[in-house]
Amino acid sequence: MARNYYEVLGVDRNASADELQRAFRSLARKYHPDVNKDPSAEEQFKEINEAYHVLADPGTRARYDRFGPEFRQIPEDYAGAGAGAGAGRQGRSARGGAGRRAGGGPGGASRGHPGGTAGGINIEDLLGGMGGGGFDSIFDSFRSDGPMPGADQQAEVELTVEEAYTGGKRHITLSSGAGERSYDVTIPPGVMDGQRIRLAGQGGQGGQGGDRGDLYLVVRIKPHPRFRLDGRDIHVDLPLAPWEAALGATVPLMGPGGELKVTVPAGTSSGRQLRLAGEGMPNRRGKPGDLYAVVQIMVPKKLKKRERELFEELASVSDFDPRSQKR
């Protein structure tokens, strides 16, 4: 589903035009790519810009309130769009030619001029006089007197820990009110819970010849019976026999990417965590996580005769007291 435009701007559904404008001004200052150099800022700004563009126009807002993300497919003159639709059409007619001579359209952003206005907002004032035609180039893409891009949409995709660890190609099918759609998705190795995978051009249908929006798949990693995730670190229990823990050993351990070898120091007790550096979740942009093998000392449920004799002999000669404070 496309993200709710009211949530994008952080306003109530009954927000007034002034409240919408104040919210947009605040968010635009924060996320405008001429100000915010974070790689994700431009996408966030586009989302903010689109939300304001839709809600600032009474007619478009009325259609959105009634039809949600599918509002773009509803004609502007649709009789059931609500009373606000007429007001929106009149508003566009009233500013007519003068608005377009200035490069208008909804919001009246001055085409090619960084000091234009958007819904009564002076862009140059908004950015503190820093110029930046980037605002106009982005804002121009949302004019309703030309092509309007489709809304971005969002869906969840469940992965096992192993699938998230190794990544790779995956075929998924998503269901919606419009039916089922299938996608071939490339999962990056080490993808994390909550991370978004962008499928360009697979979102909502654009209006008036506009491009489709994008589809964002939100990763949800399913609980695993063995692996426990802590950020990029992975914790997994390592069962050991008493003699392996006492004498030391090298034992196999199955990690999410395959079999690993763990060196167990002599005198290892239950609960000790043996760190395997870099064997946690991969990280394409930095250091991978670590894998922690958590020792669990196991004893046979039923001893053979010779095993019992050896344990009894050990008990008779050992002065080890696990309940002593000096262990």
Side-chain angles (χ1 to χ4, degrees):
M1 293 294 292
R3 191 175 172 198
N4 186 293
Y5 287 149
Y6 292 98
E7 293 180 359
V8 170
L9 295 178
V11 298
D12 185 82
R13 292 186 66 88
N14 297 319
S16 66
D18 286 343
E19 289 172 327
L20 291 172
Q21 189 177 102
R22 284 196 297 273
F24 174 71
R25 288 175 64 95
S26 175
L27 293 170
R29 289 193 195 97
K30 181 176 180 181
Y31 291 106
H32 189 281
D34 286 345
V35 178
N36 191 326
K37 301 307 179 185
D38 188 294
S40 65
E42 182 171 342
E43 288 299 323
Q44 290 176 282
F45 177 77
K46 287 181 179 180
E47 185 178 47
I48 294 161
N49 197 18
E50 179 179 0
Y52 178 68
H53 174 89
V54 170
L55 299 182
D57 182 285
T60 310
R61 181 176 179 178
R63 295 203 311 281
Y64 175 75
D65 286 346
R66 179 164 184 178
F67 299 103
E70 305 302 322
F71 80 101
R72 299 185 192 282
Q73 301 177 23
I74 307 301
E76 292 189 19
D77 57 354
Y78 178 65
R89 290 194 299 275
Q90 293 171 8
R92 282 191 292 275
S93 299
R95 55 180 176 260
R100 288 187 173 83
R101 282 196 298 273
S110 179
R111 194 181 299 273
H113 189 284
T117 60
I121 300 174
N122 185 286
I123 306 307
E124 189 172 66
D125 289 346
L126 179 68
L127 298 180
M130 65 177 291
F135 187 101
D136 288 323
S137 63
I138 295 171
F139 197 89
D140 282 350
S141 66
F142 294 103
R143 303 178 189 282
S144 68
D145 57 349
M148 179 179 286
D152 290 343
Q153 297 178 336
Q154 185 168 291
E156 291 189 351
V157 56
E158 280 196 332
L159 301 176
T160 64
V161 173
E162 293 91 341
E163 289 171 332
Y165 182 94
T166 58
K169 297 285 187 180
R170 187 174 180 195
H171 186 77
I172 66 170
T173 300
L174 300 177
S175 300
S176 67
E180 291 189 342
R181 295 183 65 183
S182 295
Y183 307 89
D184 289 316
V185 182
T186 299
I187 307 295
V191 67
M192 302 294 290
D193 189 84
Q195 186 173 333
R196 300 198 307 172
I197 300 173
R198 176 174 173 259
L199 302 183
Q202 298 297 325
Q205 184 69 48
Q208 303 179 49
D211 294 335
R212 294 185 70 101
D214 297 331
L215 173 62
Y216 289 90
L217 299 179
V218 181
V219 172
R220 296 300 177 204
I221 298 180
K222 295 187 284 190
H224 196 280
R226 293 183 59 239
F227 303 120
R228 302 179 294 278
L229 298 182
D230 180 11
R232 292 195 176 274
D233 293 337
I234 301 173
H235 295 255
V236 57
D237 291 340
L238 175 64
L240 294 178
W243 48 91
E244 290 175 326
L247 302 175
T250 298
V251 298
L253 173 67
M254 188 59 66
E259 186 176 282
L260 302 168
K261 295 294 184 181
V262 182
T263 299
V264 180
T268 293
S269 297
S270 283
R272 181 172 179 177
Q273 298 189 51
L274 304 177
R275 174 173 170 261
L276 282 70
E279 295 294 347
M281 295 294 282
N283 186 357
R284 294 186 302 164
R285 295 187 176 90
K287 183 180 177 182
D290 299 327
L291 185 143
Y292 290 89
V294 184
V295 172
Q296 301 289 332
I297 298 177
M298 311 293 290
V299 298
K301 288 185 177 180
K302 188 174 182 179
L303 294 173
K304 297 177 183 178
K305 180 180 178 181
R306 181 56 179 157
E307 288 175 329
R308 177 173 290 277
E309 291 173 351
L310 291 172
F311 272 113
E312 288 174 345
E313 182 180 349
L314 176 62
S316 67
V317 301
S318 176
D319 60 358
F320 174 66
D321 181 0
R323 291 162 294 282
S324 170
Q325 297 298 319
K326 297 181 179 181
R327 54 182 180 169

